[in-house]
Amino acid sequence: MAAQSDRLGLLIRSLRLLPLAVAFLLLACSGVETDVPERWVLSNVHIAGYPTAEGLVRFAELLAEDPKLEGRITIDLQLGGVLGNEKETLEKLRFGAIQMACVSAAPLQEFAPVSGVLALPFLFENGEHLWRVLDSGVGDEIAAGLTEAGFVPLAWYDAGARSFYNRVRPIVRPEDLRGLKIRVQRSEMMRDLVEALGASPVALGFKQVYTSLHTGAIDGAENNLPSYRSERHFEASRFYSLDRHAIVPDVLVVARERWRELSTEEQIALRTAAQASAHLQRELWADYRQKAAETVTEAGCRINEVEDPNAFRQAVQPVYEKHAGRYGDLVDRIRELGGHLSGPPLR
Ligand code: GCU
C-alpha cells in the first residue's frame, strides 16, 4: 500500500515537470538562439608584451567590440604556453578541446603537411619575399591545404628569421655547429636541417628550452632574436649567430568544424579582426626586434654575422633532396616570386 502511494507521488511530481521539459525541448528544436556567448579558447606560447601576444589581445578586443557580432563569440586568450607547447595545442585543437591557436608553421606541418614548405631552409630571401608569397596564389594554395587538414588560417604573423644560438662558441661557418646539441621544434624538417649541419637535434617544446639550456641538456637552440630575448634563453647561451636559416611565419588558425558552424557575417568579422591584429603585430615586431638586440647585447651576449651564408645553403641541400619533392611545384613558384628583392635582411 505504502509502495503504491510512493509510486503515485512520483508520477504526480514527474507530471508537474512535464511542461518544463516540453518547453525546453521546443526551444532546443526551434533553433531560437540563446544569449549565451560562445567562448572560444585561443592558445599561444608567447608571453604578454611579445608582439604576437599583443596582436592576439587586439584580435580578442576587436571581436568583443564588433557590433555585428553582438558579443556572440568571446575569445578566451591563453598566453605563455599555459595550455601546452605547440604540438599539444594542435592536438587539442584537432580534438575540439580548444577552438583557436596561433602557432609556428613548422610544427604545424606534422598535422598539415603543406605547411612544411614554409619551413624549408633558405627558401625566402627576406620578409618582403615571404609576404609576397603569402599574399599570392601560392599563399591561397597553402591556406587551402591547411583548411583541408582541419586548420582554417585567418592571418599570418611575423616570426622573423631563425638563427642558431648556443653557449659554446659563435657559429661562423657550418663546421662550428658540429657536435653541438641543438633544440629543434617538433618537426622532421627541422631535425634534418640540424643534422645536415653536423649538430645533434633534440626535439623539445618551446617552454622546455629555458631549463634545458640551464641544465646543459642542450648546448643551444635556433629561433628569432625576439624569442631568444623574451624567453630569456640569452641568459644561458650567449652566442647568437645570424645565419638566418629559415623564415617561418606563425599563423592564427581556427578548427574547421567550428568555422563551418559560423554564418558568413561571423566569418567575415573573424577574418577582419585577424587581419587587423596581424597588421599591428607586424608593426610591433620591428621595434621589439631592435630592442631585443639591444637588451641581449647589454647583457653581454655576442651577436655575429656568419662568414658565408652560401656555405650554409649548400650544407642543407640534403633537406631539399629529402623534403622538397613533397610540395610539387610550390618550391619553384616561391623562388620565382623572390629574386633580387631589396628588403633588409631579417633577424
Ligand atoms: C617562435 C614562434 C613560436 C614557436 C617557437 C619555437 O618563437 O613564434 O610560435 O613556438 O618559435 O621555436 O617553438
Side-chain angles (χ1 to χ4, degrees), residues 23-90:
F24 179 77
L25 266 175
L26 283 177
L27 191 69
C29 300
S30 67
V32 171
E33 281 176 23
T34 59
D35 285 339
V36 182
E38 288 231 39
R39 190 176 138 273
W40 281 22
V41 178
L42 163 52
S43 169
N44 179 247
V45 288
H46 291 295
I47 55 170
Y50 190 90
T52 310
E54 292 310 296
L56 297 174
V57 168
R58 174 64 64 87
F59 172 69
E61 284 168 0
L62 288 170
L63 286 188
E65 288 161 9
D66 190 330
K68 289 197 210 91
L69 280 182
E70 294 168 336
R72 283 198 297 280
I73 299 173
T74 54
I75 300 295
D76 178 2
L77 179 57
Q78 298 288 333
L79 294 173
V82 290
L83 293 184
N85 287 297
E86 295 190 333
K87 181 169 183 274
E88 295 87 60
T89 294
L90 288 165

Side-chain angles (χ1 to χ4, degrees), residues 16 23 40 54 58 74 83 119 123 142 172 174 196 249 284 299 335:
R16 275 200 210 123
W40 281 22
E54 292 310 296
R58 174 64 64 87
T74 54
L83 293 184
L123 179 59
I142 295 171
V172 182
L284 296 175
R335 287 208 169 112

Side-chain angles (χ1 to χ4, degrees), residues 36-344:
V36 182
E38 288 231 39
R39 190 176 138 273
W40 281 22
V41 178
L42 163 52
S43 169
N44 179 247
V45 288
H46 291 295
I47 55 170
Y50 190 90
T52 310
E54 292 310 296
L56 297 174
V57 168
R58 174 64 64 87
F59 172 69
E61 284 168 0
L62 288 170
L63 286 188
E65 288 161 9
D66 190 330
K68 289 197 210 91
L69 280 182
E70 294 168 336
R72 283 198 297 280
I73 299 173
T74 54
I75 300 295
D76 178 2
L77 179 57
Q78 298 288 333
L79 294 173
V82 290
L83 293 184
N85 287 297
E86 295 190 333
K87 181 169 183 274
E88 295 87 60
T89 294
L90 288 165
E91 275 160 1
K92 287 193 174 102
L93 190 79
R94 184 132 90 173
F95 293 111
I98 65 171
Q99 293 69 38
M100 298 190 76
C102 182
V103 294
S104 161
L108 185 55
Q109 76 188 271
E110 305 289 314
F111 298 79
V114 69
S115 180
V117 74
L118 300 170
L120 277 167
F122 299 105
L123 179 59
F124 297 103
E125 292 172 22
N126 52 28
E128 195 188 330
H129 184 191
L130 172 73
W131 302 124
R132 183 184 287 190
V133 167
L134 292 176
D135 290 341
S136 72
V138 175
D140 294 342
E141 277 174 49
I142 295 171
L146 295 187
T147 304
E148 204 177 304
F151 306 89
V152 180
L154 296 188
W156 299 96
Y157 285 70
D158 202 345
R162 300 180 76 94
S163 287
F164 289 104
Y165 48 94
N166 78 96
R167 60 198 174 92
V168 182
R169 53 183 169 257
I171 307 302
V172 182
R173 289 169 288 272
E175 305 83 271
D176 297 326
L177 277 156
R178 270 193 209 137
L180 296 182
K181 283 178 281 170
I182 300 290
R183 176 267 172 171
V184 290
Q185 292 170 288
R186 292 204 172 97
S187 133
E188 189 191 338
M189 193 185 293
M190 286 299 185
R191 274 199 303 275
D192 292 343
L193 162 82
V194 163
E195 248 165 27
L197 290 164
S200 306
V202 181
L204 291 173
F206 189 49
K207 293 296 176 185
Q208 294 168 298
V209 180
Y210 179 84
T211 314
S212 306
L213 282 170
H214 276 273
T215 59
I218 53 174
D219 299 309
E222 51 82 57
N223 216 321
N224 51 53
L225 255 175
S227 297
Y228 174 63
R229 187 248 170 278
S230 66
E231 296 295 311
R232 309 196 72 79
H233 295 169
F234 66 91
E235 288 175 358
S237 82
R238 65 184 204 95
F239 301 107
Y240 188 98
S241 308
L242 288 163
D243 65 294
R244 304 180 182 91
H245 55 261
I247 297 178
V248 191
D250 289 349
V251 59
L252 176 59
V253 292
V254 188
R256 189 184 51 194
E257 306 318 319
R258 303 317 301 268
W259 180 252
R260 286 187 173 161
E261 289 163 7
L262 299 178
S263 65
T264 309
E265 189 179 61
E266 288 166 338
Q267 290 184 348
I268 293 172
L270 257 80
R271 270 201 200 286
T272 311
Q275 294 298 332
S277 78
H279 189 75
L280 169 76
Q281 191 267 352
R282 290 186 207 171
E283 266 174 27
L284 296 175
W285 184 264
D287 191 41
Y288 195 91
R289 190 178 63 199
Q290 181 56 36
K291 291 211 176 91
E294 284 161 22
T295 309
V296 303
T297 311
E298 277 160 23
C301 298
R302 270 178 56 191
I303 301 178
N304 68 282
E305 293 284 343
V306 297
E307 192 178 85
D308 174 14
N310 275 329
F312 286 80
R313 275 174 206 270
Q314 275 155 21
V316 301
Q317 276 321 300
V319 178
Y320 275 84
E321 279 148 31
K322 178 169 168 191
H323 293 269
R326 297 178 187 174
Y327 306 111
D329 65 354
L330 278 185
V331 175
D332 288 338
R333 285 160 64 207
I334 289 174
R335 287 208 169 112
E336 276 160 23
L337 286 163
H340 319 297
L341 291 168
S342 55

